[in-house]
């Protein structure tokens, strides 16, 4: 990932040094998209260009860096703000304005790289939060790591012992949780076909006669994307039949 950066400082030597340091950053890398000598120039630049971060001095002629940070908060998608200044006494006020970091001059490469990593993490967290708020993923803990499975890829959810099998066209996942809770949360996406199974409404292809070794003679649904035939209980048969008829 390469972060797009706007450098704001009224001193040309300070801008040059910061640009040189940014050019040496690698994890993540950074590209200086523009420069500004004051807050007014910076705001004008941001009306026409989107950046990931603004690295700004605090003491500048006219509107200072703190006023710039206040103005940036009113943007629909504000960039991260990192103050780069010799005046450490402003740190508390800077963080009150939700600055992501505060660097003191002379800036060290290691410290600048750490600030960019904060920006990168914050961007990922915002993206994840937006996705979670939209209810578009299931977060599954597997092998010591969290995996995010988009609900749009889930074909069915089946309770087996203490886990729920989450089936996509490509693979199966195991999720700890309650099938009833998932049904209540995602009722618009899934329909219950059995006490132990929910299927994606959009994936239902057909309802057909079926013999199940445990359930005996009955009906099963076929889904787009998998070969599995999922048994439909008598209790749920009417609602499944209505769904298939409407497809």
């Amino acid at each position: 990932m390469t972060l797009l950066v706007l450098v704001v400082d009224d001193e040309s030597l300070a801008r040059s040094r910061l640009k040189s340091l940014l050019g040496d950053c690698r994890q993540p890398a950074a590209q200086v998209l523009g420069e500004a000598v004051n807050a007014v120039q910076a705001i004008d630049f941001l009306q026409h260009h989107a950046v990931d971060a603004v690295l700004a001095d605090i003491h500048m002629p006219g509107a200072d860096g703190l006023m710039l940070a206040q103005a940036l908060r009113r943007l629909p998608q504000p960039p991260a703000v990192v103050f780069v200044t010799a005046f450490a006494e402003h740190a508390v006020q800077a963080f009150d304005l939700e600055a992501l970091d505060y660097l003191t001059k002379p800036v060290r490469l290691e410290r600048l790289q750490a600030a960019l990593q904060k920006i990168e993490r914050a961007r990922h967290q915002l993206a994840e939060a937006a996705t979670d708020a939209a209810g578009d993923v299931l977060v599954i803990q597997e092998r010591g790591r969290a995996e995010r499975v988009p609900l749009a890829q889930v074909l069915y959810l089946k309770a087996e012992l203490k886990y729920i099998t989450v089936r996509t066209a490509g693979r199966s996942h195991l999720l700890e949780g309650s099938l009833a809770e998932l049904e209540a949360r995602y009722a618009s996406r899934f329909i219950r076909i059995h006490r132990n199974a929910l299927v994606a409404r959009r994936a239902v292809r057909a309802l057909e006669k079926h013999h199940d070794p445990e359930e005996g003679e009955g009906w099963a649904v076929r889904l787009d994307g998998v070969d599995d035939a999922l048994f439909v209980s008598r209790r749920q048969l009417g609602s499944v039949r209505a769904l298939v008829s409407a497809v």
Side-chain angles (χ1 to χ4, degrees), residues 7 19 50 52 57 120 122 126 132 160 182 185 199 209 235 238-239:
V7 175
K19 286 193 299 179
D52 299 308
D57 191 11
E120 185 178 43
L126 282 173
D132 289 344
E160 297 174 294
L182 292 171
R185 187 181 305 172
V199 300
K209 283 283 190 178
R235 183 177 180 182
S239 57

mmCIF file with all atom_site columns, all heavy atoms in Angstrom, residues 7 19 50 52 57 120 122 126 132 160 182 185 199 209 235 238-239:
data_model
loop_
_atom_site.group_PDB
_atom_site.id
_atom_site.type_symbol
_atom_site.label_atom_id
_atom_site.label_alt_id
_atom_site.label_comp_id
_atom_site.label_asym_id
_atom_site.label_entity_id
_atom_site.label_seq_id
_atom_site.pdbx_PDB_ins_code
_atom_site.Cartn_x
_atom_site.Cartn_y
_atom_site.Cartn_z
_atom_site.occupancy
_atom_site.B_iso_or_equiv
_atom_site.pdbx_formal_charge
_atom_site.auth_seq_id
_atom_site.auth_comp_id
_atom_site.auth_asym_id
_atom_site.auth_atom_id
_atom_site.pdbx_PDB_model_num
ATOM 1   N N   . VAL A 1 7   ? 1.939   17.622  2.340  1.00 0.00 ? 7   VAL A N   1
ATOM 2   C CA  . VAL A 1 7   ? 2.874   18.214  3.307  1.00 0.00 ? 7   VAL A CA  1
ATOM 3   C C   . VAL A 1 7   ? 2.575   19.697  3.427  1.00 0.00 ? 7   VAL A C   1
ATOM 4   O O   . VAL A 1 7   ? 2.553   20.419  2.421  1.00 0.00 ? 7   VAL A O   1
ATOM 5   C CB  . VAL A 1 7   ? 4.335   17.991  2.863  1.00 0.00 ? 7   VAL A CB  1
ATOM 6   C CG1 . VAL A 1 7   ? 5.299   18.711  3.802  1.00 0.00 ? 7   VAL A CG1 1
ATOM 7   C CG2 . VAL A 1 7   ? 4.653   16.498  2.808  1.00 0.00 ? 7   VAL A CG2 1
ATOM 8   N N   . LYS A 1 19  ? 9.776   15.536  2.703  1.00 0.00 ? 19  LYS A N   1
ATOM 9   C CA  . LYS A 1 19  ? 9.570   14.798  1.456  1.00 0.00 ? 19  LYS A CA  1
ATOM 10  C C   . LYS A 1 19  ? 10.656  13.737  1.257  1.00 0.00 ? 19  LYS A C   1
ATOM 11  O O   . LYS A 1 19  ? 10.378  12.625  0.799  1.00 0.00 ? 19  LYS A O   1
ATOM 12  C CB  . LYS A 1 19  ? 9.562   15.758  0.271  1.00 0.00 ? 19  LYS A CB  1
ATOM 13  C CG  . LYS A 1 19  ? 8.290   16.586  0.161  1.00 0.00 ? 19  LYS A CG  1
ATOM 14  C CD  . LYS A 1 19  ? 8.184   17.282  -1.187 1.00 0.00 ? 19  LYS A CD  1
ATOM 15  C CE  . LYS A 1 19  ? 9.335   18.241  -1.421 1.00 0.00 ? 19  LYS A CE  1
ATOM 16  N NZ  . LYS A 1 19  ? 9.240   18.904  -2.745 1.00 0.00 ? 19  LYS A NZ  1
ATOM 17  N N   . ALA A 1 50  ? -7.694  13.994  -3.286 1.00 0.00 ? 50  ALA A N   1
ATOM 18  C CA  . ALA A 1 50  ? -7.908  13.157  -2.101 1.00 0.00 ? 50  ALA A CA  1
ATOM 19  C C   . ALA A 1 50  ? -6.568  12.597  -1.635 1.00 0.00 ? 50  ALA A C   1
ATOM 20  O O   . ALA A 1 50  ? -5.795  12.067  -2.442 1.00 0.00 ? 50  ALA A O   1
ATOM 21  C CB  . ALA A 1 50  ? -8.870  12.019  -2.429 1.00 0.00 ? 50  ALA A CB  1
ATOM 22  N N   . ASP A 1 52  ? -4.495  10.468  1.805  1.00 0.00 ? 52  ASP A N   1
ATOM 23  C CA  . ASP A 1 52  ? -4.697  9.635   2.986  1.00 0.00 ? 52  ASP A CA  1
ATOM 24  C C   . ASP A 1 52  ? -4.281  10.351  4.258  1.00 0.00 ? 52  ASP A C   1
ATOM 25  O O   . ASP A 1 52  ? -4.826  10.076  5.333  1.00 0.00 ? 52  ASP A O   1
ATOM 26  C CB  . ASP A 1 52  ? -3.888  8.341   2.856  1.00 0.00 ? 52  ASP A CB  1
ATOM 27  C CG  . ASP A 1 52  ? -4.303  7.521   1.645  1.00 0.00 ? 52  ASP A CG  1
ATOM 28  O OD1 . ASP A 1 52  ? -5.513  7.262   1.503  1.00 0.00 ? 52  ASP A OD1 1
ATOM 29  O OD2 . ASP A 1 52  ? -3.425  7.170   0.832  1.00 0.00 ? 52  ASP A OD2 1
ATOM 30  N N   . ASP A 1 57  ? 2.728   21.374  9.874  1.00 0.00 ? 57  ASP A N   1
ATOM 31  C CA  . ASP A 1 57  ? 3.322   22.154  10.954 1.00 0.00 ? 57  ASP A CA  1
ATOM 32  C C   . ASP A 1 57  ? 2.188   22.839  11.719 1.00 0.00 ? 57  ASP A C   1
ATOM 33  O O   . ASP A 1 57  ? 1.072   22.991  11.201 1.00 0.00 ? 57  ASP A O   1
ATOM 34  C CB  . ASP A 1 57  ? 4.274   23.197  10.358 1.00 0.00 ? 57  ASP A CB  1
ATOM 35  C CG  . ASP A 1 57  ? 5.126   23.861  11.424 1.00 0.00 ? 57  ASP A CG  1
ATOM 36  O OD1 . ASP A 1 57  ? 5.134   23.369  12.575 1.00 0.00 ? 57  ASP A OD1 1
ATOM 37  O OD2 . ASP A 1 57  ? 5.769   24.869  11.104 1.00 0.00 ? 57  ASP A OD2 1
ATOM 38  N N   . GLU A 1 120 ? -2.021  3.597   8.328  1.00 0.00 ? 120 GLU A N   1
ATOM 39  C CA  . GLU A 1 120 ? -2.446  2.412   7.583  1.00 0.00 ? 120 GLU A CA  1
ATOM 40  C C   . GLU A 1 120 ? -3.393  1.560   8.430  1.00 0.00 ? 120 GLU A C   1
ATOM 41  O O   . GLU A 1 120 ? -4.439  1.095   7.945  1.00 0.00 ? 120 GLU A O   1
ATOM 42  C CB  . GLU A 1 120 ? -1.223  1.593   7.183  1.00 0.00 ? 120 GLU A CB  1
ATOM 43  C CG  . GLU A 1 120 ? -1.555  0.395   6.305  1.00 0.00 ? 120 GLU A CG  1
ATOM 44  C CD  . GLU A 1 120 ? -0.313  -0.359  5.885  1.00 0.00 ? 120 GLU A CD  1
ATOM 45  O OE1 . GLU A 1 120 ? 0.571   -0.572  6.749  1.00 0.00 ? 120 GLU A OE1 1
ATOM 46  O OE2 . GLU A 1 120 ? -0.207  -0.729  4.709  1.00 0.00 ? 120 GLU A OE2 1
ATOM 47  N N   . ALA A 1 122 ? -5.277  2.570   10.914 1.00 0.00 ? 122 ALA A N   1
ATOM 48  C CA  . ALA A 1 122 ? -6.535  3.299   11.094 1.00 0.00 ? 122 ALA A CA  1
ATOM 49  C C   . ALA A 1 122 ? -7.426  3.171   9.868  1.00 0.00 ? 122 ALA A C   1
ATOM 50  O O   . ALA A 1 122 ? -8.649  3.033   9.973  1.00 0.00 ? 122 ALA A O   1
ATOM 51  C CB  . ALA A 1 122 ? -6.246  4.769   11.387 1.00 0.00 ? 122 ALA A CB  1
ATOM 52  N N   . LEU A 1 126 ? -11.153 1.501   9.888  1.00 0.00 ? 126 LEU A N   1
ATOM 53  C CA  . LEU A 1 126 ? -12.339 2.206   9.408  1.00 0.00 ? 126 LEU A CA  1
ATOM 54  C C   . LEU A 1 126 ? -13.074 1.385   8.361  1.00 0.00 ? 126 LEU A C   1
ATOM 55  O O   . LEU A 1 126 ? -14.307 1.313   8.356  1.00 0.00 ? 126 LEU A O   1
ATOM 56  C CB  . LEU A 1 126 ? -11.943 3.569   8.823  1.00 0.00 ? 126 LEU A CB  1
ATOM 57  C CG  . LEU A 1 126 ? -11.638 4.682   9.826  1.00 0.00 ? 126 LEU A CG  1
ATOM 58  C CD1 . LEU A 1 126 ? -11.090 5.901   9.109  1.00 0.00 ? 126 LEU A CD1 1
ATOM 59  C CD2 . LEU A 1 126 ? -12.890 5.047   10.621 1.00 0.00 ? 126 LEU A CD2 1
ATOM 60  N N   . ASP A 1 132 ? -18.557 -4.055  8.906  1.00 0.00 ? 132 ASP A N   1
ATOM 61  C CA  . ASP A 1 132 ? -19.282 -4.694  9.997  1.00 0.00 ? 132 ASP A CA  1
ATOM 62  C C   . ASP A 1 132 ? -20.604 -4.002  10.264 1.00 0.00 ? 132 ASP A C   1
ATOM 63  O O   . ASP A 1 132 ? -21.616 -4.643  10.542 1.00 0.00 ? 132 ASP A O   1
ATOM 64  C CB  . ASP A 1 132 ? -18.437 -4.691  11.274 1.00 0.00 ? 132 ASP A CB  1
ATOM 65  C CG  . ASP A 1 132 ? -17.272 -5.654  11.188 1.00 0.00 ? 132 ASP A CG  1
ATOM 66  O OD1 . ASP A 1 132 ? -17.284 -6.519  10.293 1.00 0.00 ? 132 ASP A OD1 1
ATOM 67  O OD2 . ASP A 1 132 ? -16.348 -5.543  12.011 1.00 0.00 ? 132 ASP A OD2 1
ATOM 68  N N   . GLU A 1 160 ? -23.998 -28.172 13.575 1.00 0.00 ? 160 GLU A N   1
ATOM 69  C CA  . GLU A 1 160 ? -23.493 -29.531 13.744 1.00 0.00 ? 160 GLU A CA  1
ATOM 70  C C   . GLU A 1 160 ? -22.695 -29.582 15.041 1.00 0.00 ? 160 GLU A C   1
ATOM 71  O O   . GLU A 1 160 ? -21.657 -28.933 15.156 1.00 0.00 ? 160 GLU A O   1
ATOM 72  C CB  . GLU A 1 160 ? -22.638 -29.939 12.549 1.00 0.00 ? 160 GLU A CB  1
ATOM 73  C CG  . GLU A 1 160 ? -23.449 -29.977 11.255 1.00 0.00 ? 160 GLU A CG  1
ATOM 74  C CD  . GLU A 1 160 ? -22.614 -30.245 10.023 1.00 0.00 ? 160 GLU A CD  1
ATOM 75  O OE1 . GLU A 1 160 ? -21.785 -29.396 9.684  1.00 0.00 ? 160 GLU A OE1 1
ATOM 76  O OE2 . GLU A 1 160 ? -22.812 -31.306 9.409  1.00 0.00 ? 160 GLU A OE2 1
ATOM 77  N N   . LEU A 1 182 ? -28.279 -16.054 14.345 1.00 0.00 ? 182 LEU A N   1
ATOM 78  C CA  . LEU A 1 182 ? -27.973 -15.722 12.956 1.00 0.00 ? 182 LEU A CA  1
ATOM 79  C C   . LEU A 1 182 ? -29.254 -15.567 12.143 1.00 0.00 ? 182 LEU A C   1
ATOM 80  O O   . LEU A 1 182 ? -29.353 -14.681 11.287 1.00 0.00 ? 182 LEU A O   1
ATOM 81  C CB  . LEU A 1 182 ? -27.080 -16.800 12.335 1.00 0.00 ? 182 LEU A CB  1
ATOM 82  C CG  . LEU A 1 182 ? -25.655 -16.885 12.890 1.00 0.00 ? 182 LEU A CG  1
ATOM 83  C CD1 . LEU A 1 182 ? -24.951 -18.120 12.360 1.00 0.00 ? 182 LEU A CD1 1
ATOM 84  C CD2 . LEU A 1 182 ? -24.872 -15.631 12.551 1.00 0.00 ? 182 LEU A CD2 1
ATOM 85  N N   . ARG A 1 185 ? -30.748 -12.198 13.020 1.00 0.00 ? 185 ARG A N   1
ATOM 86  C CA  . ARG A 1 185 ? -29.952 -11.071 12.539 1.00 0.00 ? 185 ARG A CA  1
ATOM 87  C C   . ARG A 1 185 ? -30.008 -10.927 11.026 1.00 0.00 ? 185 ARG A C   1
ATOM 88  O O   . ARG A 1 185 ? -30.015 -9.815  10.495 1.00 0.00 ? 185 ARG A O   1
ATOM 89  C CB  . ARG A 1 185 ? -28.496 -11.248 12.987 1.00 0.00 ? 185 ARG A CB  1
ATOM 90  C CG  . ARG A 1 185 ? -27.606 -10.045 12.692 1.00 0.00 ? 185 ARG A CG  1
ATOM 91  C CD  . ARG A 1 185 ? -26.182 -10.311 13.142 1.00 0.00 ? 185 ARG A CD  1
ATOM 92  N NE  . ARG A 1 185 ? -26.111 -10.701 14.549 1.00 0.00 ? 185 ARG A NE  1
ATOM 93  C CZ  . ARG A 1 185 ? -25.004 -11.135 15.147 1.00 0.00 ? 185 ARG A CZ  1
ATOM 94  N NH1 . ARG A 1 185 ? -23.889 -11.260 14.447 1.00 0.00 ? 185 ARG A NH1 1
ATOM 95  N NH2 . ARG A 1 185 ? -25.020 -11.450 16.425 1.00 0.00 ? 185 ARG A NH2 1
ATOM 96  N N   . VAL A 1 199 ? -30.559 -21.450 4.718  1.00 0.00 ? 199 VAL A N   1
ATOM 97  C CA  . VAL A 1 199 ? -29.963 -21.344 3.389  1.00 0.00 ? 199 VAL A CA  1
ATOM 98  C C   . VAL A 1 199 ? -30.147 -19.921 2.863  1.00 0.00 ? 199 VAL A C   1
ATOM 99  O O   . VAL A 1 199 ? -31.091 -19.226 3.240  1.00 0.00 ? 199 VAL A O   1
ATOM 100 C CB  . VAL A 1 199 ? -30.568 -22.355 2.380  1.00 0.00 ? 199 VAL A CB  1
ATOM 101 C CG1 . VAL A 1 199 ? -30.351 -23.771 2.866  1.00 0.00 ? 199 VAL A CG1 1
ATOM 102 C CG2 . VAL A 1 199 ? -32.036 -22.072 2.141  1.00 0.00 ? 199 VAL A CG2 1
ATOM 103 N N   . LYS A 1 209 ? -37.982 -33.938 -4.530 1.00 0.00 ? 209 LYS A N   1
ATOM 104 C CA  . LYS A 1 209 ? -38.160 -35.108 -3.695 1.00 0.00 ? 209 LYS A CA  1
ATOM 105 C C   . LYS A 1 209 ? -36.786 -35.675 -3.317 1.00 0.00 ? 209 LYS A C   1
ATOM 106 O O   . LYS A 1 209 ? -35.845 -35.669 -4.130 1.00 0.00 ? 209 LYS A O   1
ATOM 107 C CB  . LYS A 1 209 ? -38.952 -36.184 -4.436 1.00 0.00 ? 209 LYS A CB  1
ATOM 108 C CG  . LYS A 1 209 ? -40.444 -35.926 -4.502 1.00 0.00 ? 209 LYS A CG  1
ATOM 109 C CD  . LYS A 1 209 ? -41.096 -36.271 -3.158 1.00 0.00 ? 209 LYS A CD  1
ATOM 110 C CE  . LYS A 1 209 ? -42.631 -36.263 -3.293 1.00 0.00 ? 209 LYS A CE  1
ATOM 111 N NZ  . LYS A 1 209 ? -43.259 -36.647 -2.000 1.00 0.00 ? 209 LYS A NZ  1
ATOM 112 N N   . ARG A 1 235 ? -42.180 -28.908 8.744  1.00 0.00 ? 235 ARG A N   1
ATOM 113 C CA  . ARG A 1 235 ? -42.608 -27.634 9.334  1.00 0.00 ? 235 ARG A CA  1
ATOM 114 C C   . ARG A 1 235 ? -42.232 -26.440 8.463  1.00 0.00 ? 235 ARG A C   1
ATOM 115 O O   . ARG A 1 235 ? -42.955 -25.452 8.398  1.00 0.00 ? 235 ARG A O   1
ATOM 116 C CB  . ARG A 1 235 ? -42.000 -27.493 10.729 1.00 0.00 ? 235 ARG A CB  1
ATOM 117 C CG  . ARG A 1 235 ? -42.424 -26.247 11.476 1.00 0.00 ? 235 ARG A CG  1
ATOM 118 C CD  . ARG A 1 235 ? -41.828 -26.242 12.871 1.00 0.00 ? 235 ARG A CD  1
ATOM 119 N NE  . ARG A 1 235 ? -42.222 -25.060 13.603 1.00 0.00 ? 235 ARG A NE  1
ATOM 120 C CZ  . ARG A 1 235 ? -41.823 -24.766 14.843 1.00 0.00 ? 235 ARG A CZ  1
ATOM 121 N NH1 . ARG A 1 235 ? -41.020 -25.618 15.481 1.00 0.00 ? 235 ARG A NH1 1
ATOM 122 N NH2 . ARG A 1 235 ? -42.220 -23.674 15.439 1.00 0.00 ? 235 ARG A NH2 1
ATOM 123 N N   . GLY A 1 238 ? -43.645 -25.331 3.712  1.00 0.00 ? 238 GLY A N   1
ATOM 124 C CA  . GLY A 1 238 ? -44.518 -24.334 3.098  1.00 0.00 ? 238 GLY A CA  1
ATOM 125 C C   . GLY A 1 238 ? -43.782 -23.052 2.740  1.00 0.00 ? 238 GLY A C   1
ATOM 126 O O   . GLY A 1 238 ? -43.937 -22.519 1.629  1.00 0.00 ? 238 GLY A O   1
ATOM 127 N N   . SER A 1 239 ? -42.970 -22.534 3.646  1.00 0.00 ? 239 SER A N   1
ATOM 128 C CA  . SER A 1 239 ? -42.256 -21.279 3.376  1.00 0.00 ? 239 SER A CA  1
ATOM 129 C C   . SER A 1 239 ? -41.199 -21.480 2.303  1.00 0.00 ? 239 SER A C   1
ATOM 130 O O   . SER A 1 239 ? -40.960 -20.586 1.476  1.00 0.00 ? 239 SER A O   1
ATOM 131 C CB  . SER A 1 239 ? -41.622 -20.740 4.660  1.00 0.00 ? 239 SER A CB  1
ATOM 132 O OG  . SER A 1 239 ? -40.751 -21.693 5.236  1.00 0.00 ? 239 SER A OG  1
#
